[in-house]
Amino acid sequence: MNKYNLKKFLNWKTLMVLLLFNFVFDSFIIFMFSHYMKVPIVFTLDMFKVMLLSFIGLLGLAIIIFIIVKWLNKKLPWSPKTALLRTVVDLFIFTIVTSVWITGYNIIDTYIRFGGVPDFDSIVLRCTMGVIINFFLIPFIELSVLLNTKYISELETKKLELENQKIKYEVLKNQINPHFLFNSLSVLNSLISIEPSKAKEFTSSFSKVLRHVLDFKYTDSITLKEEKEFLEHYVYLLKTRFGDALNVKVTIPDEFMNKIILPMVLQLLIENVIKHNEVSDNHPMTVVVEANDKGIFVHNKVQLKSSVSSWGIGLDNIKKRYESLGYTVEVKKEQEMFNIFIPYIQ
């Protein structure tokens, strides 16, 4: 996720605001000094150098405050309950930080320019000026961090929503694979002339599979009981096609029947197995679907087709759909076994 970091904070708008504040503040100090000391204001190159050094000091202080604000937002974030405490902590910490920074900066500056150290009164004056600067700098940085963090968070939320919609669209396109439809209709066509009664049963299961897709294509959850019923019809169609070459073992105890998962997940996983693995009399395939108190485990033997190089869109869509809800689908590919864990959702 994109975060509001120091690089984003030090954009040209921030630099212009700090530069303008530094110019106004230094000009005010110069004017007050001229007024009370009865000394005319003379703009010289040295004066501009001093203002430039003052801006560099202000910029350094802003960076330090920004880093501390980011740290405080993690340890003591703003909220209605913590607002008073956070304000007190801000004033306490930044008064110390600003005083130390300005004092140190003033000592170094004085030593470089005049070969000595400032007196006590000068240090007190500088610290007082630092406290005044804080009344501008702290609210400015706090608001900058707060508003930009919120803005980035909203952008990320919108991005996730858009990705979720795209994922759902891809899932809908891939829930019933065109190859599956074609193969099922081919099987049905052959059964009509050879085994009419079985063709009728096949048609019944086929229509129930399609009805299930239509009923659940716009929902985000389904009970294991409903998914199991759908899976039985889907597996029947596959068994009619592959015969004994395909064996799907579904073990879902009654105590887990009301658990919730995403619709079509198990169907897509079994479809993935058939799409990417050799399934024949010489290479029979067994898919095991087991439920426990944590989720669903799906296992199958790895016997990839030579033309397949990946596990396809289906599994990737499932993983992204679960990630968009804050869950993780665990995939473990071993040398001979492919294991997937699908968690229950709330």
Side-chain angles (χ1 to χ4, degrees):
M1 177 182 288
N2 287 323
K3 294 184 178 180
Y4 189 55
N5 52 30
L6 186 60
K7 184 178 180 180
K8 288 186 173 67
F9 170 68
L10 293 176
N11 56 55
W12 69 269
K13 293 180 181 179
T14 299
L15 294 177
M16 289 301 297
V17 170
L18 293 176
L19 186 62
L20 179 61
F21 173 79
N22 185 77
F23 175 77
V24 172
F25 186 80
D26 282 357
S27 298
F28 176 76
I29 296 299
I30 292 171
F31 174 79
M32 294 300 296
F33 177 80
S34 173
H35 178 74
Y36 285 103
M37 299 300 294
K38 307 298 182 182
V39 177
I41 300 175
V42 180
F43 292 97
T44 63
L45 182 60
D46 287 339
M47 182 181 294
F48 286 107
K49 288 181 179 179
V50 171
M51 294 180 72
L52 178 61
L53 290 173
S54 176
F55 171 71
I56 294 173
L58 180 67
L59 183 60
L61 181 60
I63 292 173
I64 294 172
I65 292 178
F66 174 84
I67 294 172
I68 295 175
V69 166
K70 292 282 289 183
W71 177 77
L72 284 173
N73 284 346
K74 294 180 180 179
K75 302 297 181 180
L76 186 64
W78 286 100
S79 71
K81 294 182 179 180
T82 63
L84 180 59
L85 179 59
R86 176 61 187 269
T87 302
V88 172
V89 170
D90 272 11
L91 292 174
F92 177 75
I93 291 179
F94 293 126
T95 297
I96 295 175
V97 169
T98 304
S99 299
V100 171
W101 173 261
I102 289 180
T103 300
Y105 190 83
N106 189 31
I107 291 174
I108 294 172
D109 178 57
T110 303
Y111 182 80
I112 294 174
R113 291 167 55 197
F114 304 107
V117 295
D119 55 27
F120 180 76
D121 291 340
S122 177
I123 291 176
V124 172
L125 177 62
R126 292 283 183 176
C127 289
T128 303
M129 291 167 57
V131 173
I132 296 173
I133 291 173
N134 274 345
F135 283 103
F136 158 77
L137 209 54
I138 295 174
F140 171 71
I141 294 176
E142 286 279 14
L143 284 173
S144 178
V145 172
L146 182 65
L147 294 177
N148 281 279
T149 300
K150 182 180 179 182
Y151 174 71
I152 291 174
S153 177
E154 289 175 350
L155 284 181
E156 290 293 335
T157 301
K158 290 179 180 179
K159 182 181 177 181
L160 287 174
E161 289 176 352
L162 181 60
E163 288 181 352
N164 194 32
Q165 291 302 319
K166 290 180 179 178
I167 291 167
K168 286 182 177 180
Y169 176 68
E170 290 297 326
V171 168
L172 289 176
K173 289 197 301 182
N174 289 279
Q175 277 174 347
I176 294 298
N177 192 295
H179 291 290
F180 166 74
L181 293 175
F182 175 78
N183 291 327
S184 296
L185 291 174
S186 297
V187 172
L188 177 60
N189 184 55
S190 62
L191 287 175
I192 289 174
S193 57
I194 301 174
E195 298 182 74
S197 60
K198 195 170 183 179
K200 185 176 181 181
E201 187 178 350
F202 185 92
T203 302
S204 176
S205 291
F206 189 46
S207 65
K208 289 176 181 177
V209 168
L210 294 179
R211 170 55 60 185
H212 183 88
V213 173
L214 293 174
D215 288 343
F216 287 93
K217 69 178 181 178
Y218 294 119
T219 61
D220 290 326
S221 64
I222 187 173
T223 64
L224 280 187
K225 181 180 179 180
E226 293 170 314
E227 186 76 353
K228 184 174 181 289
E229 291 173 355
F230 161 66
L231 203 60
E232 288 173 351
H233 293 294
Y234 179 72
V235 170
Y236 173 79
L237 300 181
L238 296 177
K239 288 283 291 181
T240 304
R241 175 187 168 195
F242 291 102
D244 293 334
L246 177 66
N247 185 20
V248 180
K249 297 180 179 179
V250 181
T251 305
I252 303 177
D254 292 340
E255 60 192 285
F256 304 128
M257 286 296 184
N258 290 324
K259 294 291 187 180
I260 305 296
I261 61 172
L262 296 181
M264 273 27 116
V265 166
L266 299 182
Q267 175 260 326
L268 279 173
L269 291 178
I270 294 175
E271 183 178 317
N272 241 25
V273 174
I274 295 170
K275 180 180 178 183
H276 297 283
N277 290 277
E278 183 73 28
V279 182
S280 63
D281 291 335
N282 294 329
H283 297 90
M285 172 61 67
T286 297
V287 183
V288 178
V289 180
E290 299 176 306
N292 62 18
D293 58 338
K294 295 181 179 179
I296 305 289
F297 290 88
V298 180
H299 318 276
N300 66 274
K301 185 168 60 174
V302 176
Q303 44 195 43
L304 291 176
K305 296 176 181 177
S306 58
S307 61
V308 175
S309 60
S310 71
W311 288 96
I313 297 174
L315 181 56
D316 188 50
N317 277 340
I318 292 171
K319 291 169 67 177
K320 288 182 178 179
R321 287 170 70 195
Y322 270 92
E323 286 173 3
S324 70
L325 297 174
Y327 297 91
T328 301
V329 173
E330 298 177 8
V331 179
K332 186 177 181 182
K333 185 175 180 292
E334 299 174 348
Q335 187 173 358
E336 296 183 354
M337 292 295 296
F338 193 73
N339 308 289
I340 300 174
F341 169 70
I342 303 294
Y344 299 131
I345 62 175
Q346 299 299 320

